[in-house]
Amino acid sequence: MLRGRLAVTHMSSAIAPVKPSSTAGPKEVELILVKEQNGVQFTSSTLVSPSGQTHPSGEERETWGKKIDFLLSVIGFAVDLANVWRFPYLCYKNGGGAFLVPYLFFMVIAGMPLFYMELALGQYNREGAAGVWKICPIFKGVGFTVILISLYVGFYYNVIIAWALFYLFSSFTSELPWIHCNNTWNSPNCSDLNATLLNDTHKATPALEYFERGVLHLHESTGIDDLGLPRWQLTACLAVVIVVLYFSLWKGVKTSGKVVWITATMPYVVLTVLLLRGVTLPGAIDGIKAYLSVDFLRLYDAQVWIEAATQICFSLGVGFGVLIAFSSYNKFSNNCYRDAIITSSINSLTSFFSGFVIFSFLGYMSQKHNVALDKVATDGPGLVFIIYPEAIATLPGSSVWAVIFFIMLLTLGIDSAMGGMESVITGLIDEFKFLHKHRELFTLFIVVSTFLISLICVTNGGIYVFTLLDHFAAGTSILFGVLIEAIGIAWFYGVDRFSDDIQEMIGQRPGLYWRLCWKFVSPCFLLFMVVISFATFNPPKYGTYYFPTWATMVGWCLSISSMIMVPLYAIYKFCSLPGSFCDKLAYAITPETEHHLVERGEVRQFTGSVRHFISKTF
């Protein structure tokens, strides 16, 4: 049997594939001589993927150095600070172990399917969040939506890392600065750490005053309309964070894939060390019991299900464009299905594991201050910058434990920030091809711009801007973005075609369960979440400070500025396409690789019949 391999572009016109492949990049055809009879040679031909993975533009697409680089990057992005300060508190507040019922339910019907969808979308199309929508051009606006959201999040997320770095530097002392009330930043309301004051709203712990007065200098601001100048200490810490991010990203995934070997694995080492120390503390077992206590009656409360669904939406990291960007650097035949199951499962298990660490120390604090656990249990920045440091300060060798803890926060934050930046960089350089040759300069432009805007969050009143951004930058807008993304893939590009793409990559077509979730369950879930986010909206506040109306309006403008990219781009695309109304619509919903079919009048038709969609799916 004679074998030969030729590039498609050099094939004889006598050989043509029956069905053109939409896979990006050039193909090769394998000719196999199967029989020779009476001087006539009979051959069979098969399209095969070339060994080198190429970008749709024809140039080589960078790939991860090793498969583990990709897995660690995805895990490092998905496992962030919210796994430590959000999930354990929600679990405790909403029925302990019973909370796992709605959490796992929404994980299975929405979290994993959406996670899998984004990994497959990026890997097959090999472009960033905007470029992948060549499969349905009218939806490209959602790509710009998620890029903007990632950019907005970077404005304040890097500030959290700067706080952690500030605390880390402050921990290299024989006595931690948040132990006593004899510092220059302390107020008359400060009461010594050993006093039982958690029930006294008129008193403040040294740890609270260190964060708000010693680090943030919040007492020098009267509100969001009185910010002041950036604090030089926090500005310096923020600059260090930006420098680390730049040199982690400037060369692409070849460099960031090596950085995550430290940033993605270090938190697990530190969490384990802290757990081993935490369970030896008095009251730790009571804290863990409270964390795991099962109250199934809480499942009758709709709010418990809503909070579980919200946690799933935000903890896995779908909708930021990061999963699409990361998977676009995979080899075409990579098993993205297995990756989706592994990484999403590790994310949830990490959230659950971190709860043991957090509540072992909260149980200790509860017993030490002789107060109920709910008096010390909290979520958000207050947990990791006030409550936890306060607990660490009471331990022998407290400085060492503080250094270990804040190193963990740094590594948790850095790789998540890297993911958000990579989403912006990859999404834009894939959309604007001339930027490919200038990645290092463009990366510098993005990180410096982020740094300059972030300076507003390190002023005296910066915590108010931080709270506003945290409330609006990635709330309703990201749920809306993922909803449009799911509709575009499932109902316009088509679940059947999307499943064919996955089969082309991994040799296995997604099962009925995944196709059902993509087609019906996940879009309905996301629509429900968008409605709930509007219905349950509460104006932002920080402590006892309520934001003025104009600040809330600015927040909504920020949120709308990303969502509006979907209709704006759709209108622009529709108006810029040639032909009649029907021709424009046909071009707008047809993959760019099939626009020649539109010209011949062979575009796919959508009948609108439910029976048609079900038959196309199954």
Side-chain angles (χ1 to χ4, degrees):
M1 184 177 291
L2 177 66
R3 290 175 179 262
R5 184 167 291 186
L6 303 171
V8 167
T9 52
H10 297 119
M11 289 172 54
S12 167
S13 60
I15 303 173
V18 176
K19 179 183 177 182
S21 172
S22 60
T23 305
K27 291 290 187 183
E28 294 175 349
V29 63
E30 187 174 38
L31 303 179
I32 306 173
L33 178 62
V34 295
K35 187 178 181 182
E36 182 172 352
Q37 183 177 358
N38 297 327
V40 179
Q41 294 181 346
F42 297 88
T43 64
S44 66
S45 61
T46 306
L47 282 175
V48 295
S49 298
S51 56
Q53 301 298 332
T54 56
H55 191 271
S57 64
E59 62 189 67
E60 287 292 327
R61 177 73 166 180
E62 182 183 13
T63 57
W64 296 97
K66 295 180 181 179
K67 172 65 176 289
I68 191 66
D69 295 352
F70 165 70
L71 292 176
L72 288 176
S73 295
V74 173
I75 292 170
F77 166 71
V79 177
D80 68 348
L81 294 165
N83 291 76
V84 174
W85 75 34
R86 180 71 175 159
F87 176 85
Y89 175 74
L90 286 178
C91 195
Y92 164 73
K93 186 179 86 168
N94 293 305
F99 180 73
L100 296 178
V101 174
Y103 178 83
L104 293 176
F105 174 72
F106 290 125
M107 174 78 170
V108 170
I109 70 165
M112 281 186 173
L114 293 170
F115 200 92
Y116 182 16
M117 181 186 74
E118 288 205 348
L119 289 185
L121 180 65
Q123 182 172 308
Y124 186 83
N125 294 284
R126 302 182 63 73
E127 293 208 37
V132 294
W133 289 102
K134 59 191 176 184
I135 63 174
C136 193
I138 201 170
F139 280 89
K140 182 177 281 190
V142 74
F144 293 113
T145 293
V146 300
I147 289 172
L148 272 178
I149 291 172
S150 290
L151 188 63
Y152 292 162
V153 170
F155 294 158
Y156 70 90
Y157 195 86
N158 295 335
V159 175
I160 303 175
I161 310 173
W163 293 343
L165 186 61
F166 186 95
Y167 268 80
L168 177 64
F169 290 148
S170 301
S171 299
F172 287 101
T173 59
S174 57
E175 185 176 77
L176 294 174
W178 55 85
I179 290 182
H180 300 297
C181 293
N182 55 358
N183 302 287
T184 56
W185 58 79
N186 289 126
S187 72
N189 290 331
C190 182
S191 181
D192 190 81
L193 184 66
N194 294 322
T196 303
L197 53 88
L198 292 173
N199 288 320
D200 189 347
T201 57
H202 300 289
K203 293 293 184 178
T205 64
L208 173 63
E209 291 212 339
Y210 179 73
F211 178 62
E212 292 192 342
R213 300 172 66 90
V215 177
L216 303 181
H217 288 259
L218 183 59
H219 60 290
E220 298 181 28
S221 171
T222 58
I224 196 170
D225 52 356
D226 179 28
L227 297 179
L229 296 175
R231 307 297 306 184
W232 72 265
Q233 300 94 331
L234 289 178
T235 301
C237 291
L238 183 61
V240 171
V241 172
I242 293 298
V243 169
V244 171
L245 287 175
Y246 175 70
F247 285 106
S248 298
L249 295 169
W250 69 323
K251 293 292 186 182
V253 296
K254 294 295 185 184
T255 53
S256 63
K258 299 299 179 287
V259 174
V260 293
W261 279 77
I262 297 175
T263 58
T265 57
M266 180 65 74
Y268 293 96
V269 176
V270 176
L271 281 172
T272 303
V273 171
L274 289 174
L275 178 62
L276 294 176
R277 181 66 182 96
V279 295
T280 65
L281 298 173
I285 301 303
D286 294 332
I288 293 174
K289 286 181 179 179
Y291 171 55
L292 296 177
S293 62
V294 178
D295 181 8
F296 285 112
L297 293 178
R298 294 284 291 141
L299 298 181
Y300 289 102
D301 186 351
Q303 188 63 30
V304 173
W305 292 81
I306 291 173
E307 292 193 347
T310 304
Q311 178 66 13
I312 282 294
C313 286
F314 295 109
S315 67
L316 289 177
V318 294
F320 290 94
V322 178
L323 302 178
I324 294 175
F326 280 166
S327 61
S328 73
Y329 295 108
N330 277 334
K331 294 179 180 179
F332 185 77
S333 59
N334 175 66
N335 192 336
C336 55
Y337 169 67
R338 180 180 59 200
D339 294 345
I341 298 298
I342 291 174
T343 51
S344 58
S345 298
I346 289 177
N347 175 73
S348 296
L349 289 173
T350 303
S351 297
F352 185 64
F353 175 67
S354 65
F356 289 90
V357 182
I358 297 300
F359 274 86
S360 64
F361 278 85
L362 291 182
Y364 163 67
M365 288 293 292
S366 173
Q367 178 169 312
K368 182 174 181 62
H369 289 294
N370 195 28
V371 295
L373 186 65
D374 58 5
K375 296 296 184 180
V376 293
T378 185
D379 65 343
L383 175 64
V384 295
F385 291 111
I386 299 173
I387 302 298
Y388 218 87
E390 183 178 345
I392 289 175
T394 65
L395 302 177
S398 57
S399 295
V400 175
W401 291 110
V403 168
I404 292 173
F405 177 71
F406 289 113
I407 286 177
M408 181 191 72
L409 292 189
L410 282 173
T411 53
L412 278 173
I414 284 290
D415 46 16
S416 296
M418 285 167 52
M421 289 283 190
E422 188 61 58
S423 170
V424 176
I425 295 166
T426 296
L428 293 178
I429 66 175
D430 281 345
E431 181 63 20
F432 304 102
K433 309 300 183 186
F434 69 93
L435 293 174
H436 272 285
K437 297 180 180 179
H438 309 287
R439 179 186 170 103
E440 295 177 11
L441 286 176
F442 183 65
T443 301
L444 181 64
F445 170 75
I446 292 295
V447 298
V448 169
S449 300
T450 301
F451 169 75
L452 293 176
I453 297 175
S454 297
L455 288 177
I456 197 171
C457 292
V458 295
T459 57
N460 294 335
I463 189 65
Y464 299 123
V465 180
F466 172 92
T467 303
L468 196 69
L469 288 171
D470 185 41
H471 203 80
F472 288 101
T476 303
S477 57
I478 199 166
L479 296 173
F480 172 80
V482 183
L483 171 63
I484 301 301
E485 184 180 286
I487 292 173
I489 292 174
W491 290 91
F492 284 82
Y493 184 62
V495 167
D496 57 333
R497 177 171 293 203
F498 188 58
S499 299
D500 290 340
D501 295 345
I502 294 175
Q503 185 175 18
E504 186 178 349
M505 289 188 294
I506 68 177
Q508 180 182 357
R509 188 177 177 82
L512 177 63
Y513 167 75
W514 298 103
R515 286 178 280 143
L516 267 175
C517 287
W518 289 329
K519 193 78 173 184
F520 302 108
V521 180
S522 295
C524 290
F525 167 80
L526 290 165
L527 179 61
F528 168 77
M529 290 306 302
V530 170
V531 173
I532 286 296
S533 68
F534 279 109
T536 61
F537 171 77
N538 291 312
K541 69 186 185 76
Y542 178 79
T544 58
Y545 176 81
Y546 287 86
F547 284 74
T549 303
W550 68 263
T552 302
M553 295 302 296
V554 169
W556 273 115
C557 289
L558 181 76
S559 185
I560 293 172
S561 69
S562 58
M563 292 189 284
I564 203 172
M565 297 302 294
V566 174
L568 284 182
Y569 187 87
I571 294 170
Y572 157 75
K573 190 67 178 178
F574 191 83
C575 293
S576 64
L577 289 169
S580 64
F581 178 87
C582 291
D583 290 336
K584 288 175 181 287
L585 183 60
Y587 279 116
I589 64 175
T590 302
E592 292 178 359
T593 56
E594 297 180 4
H595 277 188
H596 62 284
L597 298 178
V598 179
E599 298 170 3
R600 299 204 301 261
E602 300 175 9
V603 66
R604 293 179 296 144
Q605 298 296 321
F606 292 86
T607 66
S609 165
V610 174
R611 181 177 300 176
H612 166 77
F613 284 123
I614 293 176
S615 64
K616 289 289 285 180
T617 304
F618 312 119

